[in-house]
Amino acid sequence: MWPKRLLVVGADGALGRAACAHFSALGATVIGTTRRRNSDHHFLDLTVPASWEILPEVDAVVICAGVTSIVDCAQDPAGAMQVNVRGTVGLAWQMAAQGAFVLYLSSNQVFDGSIARRGRDSAPCPVSEYGRNKALAEAGMRHLIDRNTGAVLRLTKVMTPGTAIIQSWRRDLKAGRRIGPFSNLPLAPISVDFALETIETILSDRQSGVFHASSHEDSSYLSLAHVVAEHDGADPGLIRPIEAVPGSIGFDSMPRFSSLDMQVEMSEFDLQPPSAKDVFRSVLAA
């Protein structure tokens, strides 16, 4: 299998942990990084280039690390820029110069959410500081894509059994407490397994370019709340939807959609985008 040696940057995040386990199970030697000291993983801080110098030689790199909270990026744009753009692009270029293929994990947030199933060739038009960071990092990756040494994978909302909002709602519903899901915030969820399948396909074929992983259609956090209540046998009357206010959740304006087009992945990789409700149910069943 290729890659034989893989570096996962951000190995203590949900997707990073899953990637380490997945590729280890496939027989690869996986090296993870973390910005937390006294860990089993290699120490790496995206804001400290000196910490990059001790990284081992690998065949490929998956960059999962970054400031991922939309609210945190809005509250500290300078700090987010340092991590999500300058540090990320700098590390990507360094690892590519050492001979590694670099896969950068981006987001549907590079778009404004004005249309569904946004195409990969659409010009970035973010409406959050987080989205602007991702768009700038993608631009920095273009140098590697043009030289067939890198790729960008835009992911929609990746859900796991441990997704915080699901766990919080389940606890509250079980206790008979009301929950307030956003009725006007879209999501096009994918499972962590689908994200890993897409990552594996790109890496094993060493595919340069911009790729998408998304559910087939958009859903909402309100729909997710109803699926959670149904699965757990909770009272749906405890669900009291609220409307998100753009500024309070880090957006300049509210997106209407979050889904991405997957025609290329369907035709070239035989990757079929899941339905949103199937993703909700599979995560809850897990």
Side-chain angles (χ1 to χ4, degrees), residues 37-176:
R37 297 187 182 274
N38 302 317
S39 168
D40 293 335
H41 298 304
H42 282 259
F43 172 74
L44 183 146
D45 187 330
L46 286 170
T47 67
V48 183
S51 70
W52 312 346
E53 301 302 325
I54 60 172
L55 292 174
E57 290 189 4
V58 293
D59 301 314
V61 181
V62 179
I63 301 181
C64 305
V67 182
T68 59
S69 166
I70 294 175
V71 172
D72 288 350
C73 289
Q75 292 177 343
D76 182 15
M81 174 77 74
Q82 186 64 34
V83 174
N84 291 345
V85 182
R86 296 190 184 96
T88 294
V89 174
L91 177 64
W93 279 42
Q94 175 176 309
M95 296 307 298
Q98 293 177 199
F101 181 87
V102 181
L103 175 58
Y104 170 63
L105 301 186
S106 188
S107 166
N108 63 287
Q109 298 294 338
V110 299
F111 300 119
D112 61 5
S114 61
I115 62 173
R117 301 190 187 97
R118 178 76 73 161
R120 72 199 67 252
D121 295 328
S122 296
C125 48
V127 290
S128 68
E129 193 63 29
Y130 173 70
R132 286 185 278 274
N133 285 179
K134 287 295 188 180
L136 287 170
E138 284 190 12
M141 286 293 298
R142 179 56 59 182
H143 173 79
L144 305 188
I145 293 172
D146 291 343
R147 287 158 178 75
N148 296 317
T149 58
V152 168
L153 173 59
R154 293 174 180 146
L155 302 169
T156 55
K157 177 66 176 178
V158 179
M159 308 201 80
T160 72
T163 294
I165 191 67
I166 293 177
Q167 294 304 312
S168 174
W169 286 347
R170 296 183 86 172
R171 287 192 298 270
D172 287 343
L173 290 170
K174 184 177 181 180

Side-chain angles (χ1 to χ4, degrees), residues 1-8 19-30 59-60 62 196-197 199-206:
M1 106 161 239
W2 195 92
K4 292 183 178 180
R5 289 176 60 82
L6 175 68
L7 182 71
V8 176
C20 288
H22 178 80
F23 284 96
S24 293
L26 291 176
T29 298
V30 180
D59 301 314
V62 179
L196 292 171
E197 182 182 4
I199 291 169
E200 181 187 342
T201 299
I202 294 169
L203 290 183
S204 61
D205 292 342
R206 200 179 167 102

Side-chain angles (χ1 to χ4, degrees), residues 180-258:
F182 291 133
S183 61
N184 61 334
L185 185 62
L187 75 162
I190 58 172
S191 68
V192 68
D193 288 340
F194 187 71
L196 292 171
E197 182 182 4
T198 310
I199 291 169
E200 181 187 342
T201 299
I202 294 169
L203 290 183
S204 61
D205 292 342
R206 200 179 167 102
Q207 291 277 349
S208 290
V210 177
F211 303 99
H212 288 172
S214 169
S215 60
H216 179 69
E217 78 285 359
D218 286 273
S219 186
S220 69
Y221 282 86
L222 177 56
S223 294
L224 171 59
H226 279 287
V227 174
V228 170
E230 179 184 9
H231 180 273
D232 288 0
D235 179 6
L238 294 171
I239 300 171
R240 301 296 176 90
I242 58 176
E243 285 201 357
V245 177
S248 67
I249 60 171
F251 286 96
D252 303 334
S253 59
M254 287 302 299
R256 295 175 54 217
F257 305 98
S258 60

